[in-house]
Amino acid sequence: MFSICNDNISFAKEQKEQFPENKRYNSYPAVKIARLGTDKSFQSKGIGSQIISFLKGFFVVRNKTGCRYLTVDAYNRAETLKFYKKNGFLFLTEKDKNKHTRTMYFLSLCISIHPLL
């Protein structure tokens, strides 16, 4: 299962260099993955990555909402962060590295879509 909501990425002055398309605006619309989960009996079978691929295709590649970003506030646990990194997400900032969650984003320029979708 998953749930999504509207979001945006706001850029601090020191972050602007890491985002190639931020020449005009200080923020960009995004779709946030609010919840993502699979039943315990189906975990570690690639279903979570398939859901991420679907979301990338629907919201970023086929651009149904005009957003170039997916965001997530990932639990700051090694296995959770590894999952999102494996699926192409990057940390938005290092300021939250000791917090309960880490803000991560996916940009359409580094797209990798599951071949079945």
Side-chain angles (χ1 to χ4, degrees), residues 7-9 11 21-30 69:
D7 195 15
N8 73 23
I9 292 183
F11 301 105
E21 71 285 341
N22 66 358
K23 295 179 180 166
R24 289 191 224 161
Y25 306 107
N26 290 328
S27 68
Y28 287 86
Y69 295 96

Side-chain angles (χ1 to χ4, degrees), residues 92-106:
L92 183 63
T93 181
E94 290 298 314
K95 292 179 181 179
D96 59 0
K97 66 182 176 184
N98 295 318
K99 304 280 185 179
H100 180 65
T101 60
R102 301 277 323 259
T103 301
M104 299 180 79
Y105 71 96
F106 174 84

